[in-house]
Amino acid sequence: MRLTKSFLPTLKEVPADAQIASHRLMLRAGLIRQTASGIYAWLPAGLRVLRNIERIVREEQNAIGAQEVLMPTLQSADLWRQSGRYDAYGPEMLRIQDRHGRDMLYGPTNEEMITEIFGQSVKSYRELPQSLYHIQWKFRDERRPRFGVMRGREFLMKDAYSFDADYDGAVISYRKMMLAYLRTFQRLGVRAIPMRADTGPIGGELSHEFLILAPTGESTVYFDAALEQQDWLAQSVDFHDPESLGRFFKDVTTSYAATDEMHDETAWKSVPADRQREGRGIEVGHIFYFEDKYTRSMGVTVNGPDGAAFHPHMGSYGIGVSRLTGAIIEAHHDAQGIIWPESVAPFKAAVLNLKPGDAQVDEICNRFNQLGGDAVLLDDRDERAGVKFNDADLMGHPWQIIVGPRGAKEGRVELKNRRSGERLDLSVDEAIERVLL
Ligand code: ATP
Ligand code: MG
């Protein structure tokens, strides 16, 4: 793709109101623009990142057998009156009236709606378990929207909901989600540590928040470093086998990890001192089991083997898809800009044409551009080399292929790795092989 034909507006100035690195970099690299407090438009490069995150989230949800649906953003207030949450939710809920004066709302979450959809169609225990998810915009009128997309008012969430016949079934659904989450975050290039979270009146151990370590995080976290060293993608957990899932869950939960709300000093002291990690964390996901809270309050039942009706047990499982864009940048940047993990980068490589108009340089650049297709961004602007270097560093492409007149004469280019800073002098074919094949 040619930069001269793209909409990739970078900013030289540091936006004054952006307090944290990811917010500044998302504005400067042209990923987002604010349109109202806590509400953002996604520009082409930002949307590419968002779509890449969604794709990985989706693949890992599908891999554990969850089914994708798409529920609307607007919901009827009556649905929420059934569960009793319409009044309980408070000022975070955006309440709207339609032209007939009917109360509506912009969904802050979807437990009620999915419970109703499930209840209309599932009548027998034989149709359980079910796990449904969607990736949809939410609105929460946060008291203090801040840090860009990290705490927005309109934000993109993956939310999943499981329905099981009983507690034992719900435990299996929960463990599958935990597995999917750990794999998802690792593929996104971040270490999200699962931490015991508050279960409210339900109790038990089935509530975990996933936090990425970053100095700008809103929570204080304590965890055993053993959790950082695990390779979840290399582990062979059979999600069809409850025992395999059980071993995996034990493995995850025996290491200490808690946010300050759940922190237990006595248990913390038993973690060897050289493995104690304490810091700030950004919450990027939350999984939660809540018995039959919604099926009971909304009167949803299915028939058991004996013909008697019962309320299925549910869990809900969120991932902050748009928040992750910021969180990934918090974990991967330097003074020059973003350093994207390859799995989410808007472009895999930038080709920097240092002398547009030079026949040999243009020819080599065009070759990379054609071969690379959508994965490559060709900087063909009539600008100084310094401007191109700075913009490429700012935008964080994993690779930069630098094509100048001297090297081009000999059919050679420079390949720079954004993360390590390593530079290699390569032939055009070698560079193609390294980056594009
Ligand atoms: P928080 O404590 O950060 O407000 P929450 O407990 O309200 O989060 P959930 O209701 O569990 O969040 O939502 C699931 C996920 O959605 C969260 O883990 C987080 O990643 C993301 N999320 C929640 N609120 C926002 C927001 N205002 N902006 C962006 N992402 C959000
Ligand atoms: Mg919240």
Side-chain angles (χ1 to χ4, degrees):
M1 197 161 111
R2 286 174 185 278
L3 215 163
T4 50
K5 305 247 181 318
S6 319
F7 185 63
L8 297 165
T10 53
L11 301 175
K12 265 191 225 64
E13 280 82 50
V14 181
D17 57 335
Q19 296 162 28
I20 63 169
S22 61
H23 188 193
R24 284 195 293 271
L25 290 170
M26 287 184 79
L27 292 167
R28 285 191 55 213
L31 306 182
I32 52 165
R33 289 292 181 262
Q34 183 172 321
T35 62
S37 166
I39 304 181
Y40 293 87
W42 293 76
L43 307 190
L47 187 58
R48 279 171 175 250
V49 177
L50 202 62
R51 293 287 180 250
N52 287 338
I53 297 172
E54 275 181 52
R55 175 176 45 78
I56 290 172
V57 167
R58 189 172 274 125
E59 283 171 7
E60 293 299 328
Q61 291 292 293
N62 294 346
I64 56 158
Q67 306 268 304
E68 186 169 10
V69 297
L70 184 58
M71 291 178 270
T73 52
L74 292 182
Q75 306 187 21
S76 129
D78 285 339
L79 198 56
W80 287 66
R81 291 195 177 104
Q82 285 178 47
S83 71
R85 277 211 293 183
Y86 188 63
D87 294 324
Y89 210 91
E92 273 194 11
M93 181 186 276
L94 180 65
R95 296 153 207 262
I96 311 162
Q97 276 195 344
D98 70 11
R99 65 197 295 163
H100 305 291
R102 281 186 292 246
D103 293 327
M104 313 276 294
L105 57 100
Y106 194 124
T109 178
N110 281 64
E111 280 83 3
E112 283 79 358
M113 190 177 277
I114 199 76
T115 304
E116 180 179 68
I117 291 169
F118 168 90
Q120 285 163 349
S121 301
V122 178
K123 299 294 173 200
S124 160
Y125 74 94
R126 279 191 226 94
E127 296 162 77
L128 297 177
Q130 293 285 347
S131 205
L132 302 168
Y133 74 96
H134 73 160
I135 300 176
Q136 179 61 292
W137 295 92
K138 304 285 185 282
F139 194 95
R140 295 183 186 172
D141 207 349
E142 300 276 356
R143 177 191 295 274
R144 259 187 89 199
R146 57 183 188 150
F147 299 160
V149 299
M150 294 270 227
R151 185 165 297 284
R153 295 198 297 165
E154 192 183 38
F155 60 97
L156 189 61
M157 194 201 285
K158 184 285 300 180
D159 39 326
Y161 305 90
S162 63
F163 297 86
D164 281 275
D166 52 23
Y167 175 77
D168 291 346
V171 166
I172 292 171
S173 294
Y174 185 92
R175 291 174 178 173
K176 282 183 194 171
M177 276 293 172
M178 177 173 267
L179 177 64
Y181 273 45
L182 290 168
R183 289 188 171 168
T184 302
F185 295 126
Q186 193 173 330
R187 285 183 63 192
L188 293 173
V190 286
R191 283 277 155 191
I193 312 287
M195 312 214 170
R196 273 290 285 281
D198 194 9
T199 50
I202 286 154
E205 53 170 12
L206 297 186
S207 175
H208 285 88
E209 289 173 352
F210 293 75
L211 288 104
I212 294 176
L213 219 58
T216 47
E218 293 183 303
S219 323
T220 305
V221 298
Y222 305 82
F223 65 95
D224 184 333
L227 282 164
E228 272 185 325
Q229 278 128 34
Q230 298 261 27
D231 182 351
W232 307 111
L233 296 170
Q235 289 196 10
S236 61
V237 185
D238 178 1
F239 80 88
H240 292 294
D241 173 17
E243 274 177 28
S244 175
L245 277 173
R247 280 191 299 276
F248 152 77
F249 186 72
K250 191 156 174 254
D251 194 26
V252 178
T253 51
T254 42
S255 298
Y256 185 87
T259 59
D260 46 0
E261 282 162 13
M262 297 294 286
H263 187 50
D264 170 358
E265 272 297 332
T266 320
W268 182 232
K269 288 207 181 81
S270 67
V271 178
D274 62 331
R275 293 213 318 252
Q276 288 183 356
R277 296 285 181 279
E278 206 180 313
R280 312 282 299 168
I282 302 166
E283 182 193 321
V284 289
H286 188 188
I287 59 178
F288 189 28
Y289 161 71
F290 42 76
E291 293 180 337
D292 57 359
K293 183 174 171 194
Y294 295 96
T295 47
R296 182 176 290 276
S297 62
M298 296 178 67
V300 167
T301 58
V302 303
N303 292 322
D306 54 0
F310 67 90
H311 300 293
H313 287 233
M314 288 175 67
S316 80
Y317 314 90
I319 291 183
V321 175
S322 50
R323 177 179 287 183
L324 267 162
T325 329
I328 292 169
I329 296 174
E330 285 299 317
H332 298 285
H333 70 272
D334 61 14
Q336 277 66 48
I338 303 169
I339 307 174
W340 288 116
E342 272 198 29
S343 59
V344 297
F347 299 94
K348 187 172 182 191
V351 178
L352 309 188
N353 183 333
L354 299 191
K355 198 161 188 215
D358 177 303
Q360 279 162 322
V361 174
D362 286 349
E363 193 196 309
I364 292 173
C365 287
N366 290 342
R367 195 162 155 217
F368 281 117
N369 191 40
Q370 263 159 23
L371 271 174
D374 206 39
V376 157
L377 178 67
L378 169 58
D379 191 344
D380 56 345
R381 291 175 299 175
D382 193 13
E383 285 279 4
R384 284 181 296 112
V387 172
K388 299 187 181 189
F389 291 137
N390 287 345
D391 274 353
D393 280 352
L394 171 63
M395 288 190 68
H397 318 291
W399 298 97
Q400 295 171 18
I401 301 166
I402 301 154
V403 189
R406 215 174 324 141
K409 261 196 206 86
E410 282 136 41
R412 299 191 76 77
V413 299
E414 197 178 11
L415 179 67
K416 177 180 158 185
N417 182 288
R418 174 68 177 91
R419 186 171 298 275
S420 66
E422 188 191 9
R423 289 165 181 273
L424 293 173
D425 176 59
L426 300 175
S427 72
V428 171
D429 287 335
E430 285 165 338
I432 288 171
E433 198 173 321
R434 282 288 275 265
V435 179
L436 300 181
L437 299 183

